[in-house]
Amino acid sequence: MKQFKYDDINGLQSLISEDFGAWSPPIDISQKLINDFAELTGDNYWIHTDPEKCKTQSPFGTTIAHGFLTLVLLPKMRTPSNWEVVGYNNIVNYGSNKLRFSGAVPVGSKIHARGRVKSVEKTPKGQVIMTQEMQINVVGQDRPAVVYELMFMYM
């Protein structure tokens, strides 16, 4: 595995690519998972939690996962990588540039993720911000269900 020191801006910028990496292992989307998320968040909208009503009234014919459920599963979808950032004291989630829920995730489907490094910048205080674009897709579908740009700050 290739290692890049967190403050090696040129080295980290060499990771920037238009091409996405390999897919993560898939995760099953069950009705129990959807219901548990609905209970946790209070989002009990029928399109997520009422399979019988969805058979007749949903354009999907079945329940679908919450967009935010799909997003919060991202840490479980570890994507294979041939590089790592080293030498930092701390890493924090710095925020997001973009979040789109661009497709439905039907119950019973599997999802997986892939990513790419979109940018690497050094702040005036010497921290490094890496932005990664992640796509979460239903396995077998070309169109992403979620497109997310996340930012990490290394210090």
Side-chain angles (χ1 to χ4, degrees), residues 34-44 48 66 68-69 72:
I34 293 170
N35 290 348
D36 288 349
F37 188 79
E39 180 68 27
L40 177 69
T41 62
D43 182 353
N44 292 298
H48 305 301
H66 306 73
F68 281 110
L69 168 59
V72 300

Side-chain angles (χ1 to χ4, degrees), residues 28-142:
D28 294 318
I29 302 300
S30 67
Q31 189 63 54
K32 180 179 181 337
L33 181 64
I34 293 170
N35 290 348
D36 288 349
F37 188 79
E39 180 68 27
L40 177 69
T41 62
D43 182 353
N44 292 298
Y45 188 56
W46 65 266
I47 205 161
H48 305 301
T49 60
D50 190 338
E52 291 306 312
K53 187 173 184 177
C54 284
K55 285 179 186 176
T56 59
Q57 295 185 32
S58 166
F60 309 106
T62 189
T63 55
I64 60 171
H66 306 73
F68 281 110
L69 168 59
T70 306
L71 178 64
V72 300
L73 291 172
L74 190 58
K76 288 187 77 167
M77 293 182 272
R78 297 264 182 217
T79 57
S81 181
N82 61 355
W83 58 270
E84 67 178 334
V85 180
V86 298
Y88 55 88
N89 290 324
N90 291 297
I91 179 175
V92 295
N93 179 339
Y94 190 65
S96 304
N97 277 340
K98 177 181 176 181
L99 173 60
R100 298 289 182 273
F101 300 116
S102 50
V105 177
V107 68
S109 62
K110 295 178 184 294
I111 58 173
H112 56 177
R114 65 182 179 172
R116 70 182 183 96
V117 176
K118 188 168 181 178
S119 68
V120 177
E121 302 168 9
K122 191 169 194 172
T123 70
K125 293 184 178 181
Q127 299 115 335
V128 173
I129 299 174
M130 177 184 284
T131 302
Q132 295 183 1
E133 180 180 357
M134 304 300 295
Q135 292 182 345
I136 302 172
N137 291 43
V138 173
V139 173
Q141 292 186 6
D142 292 333

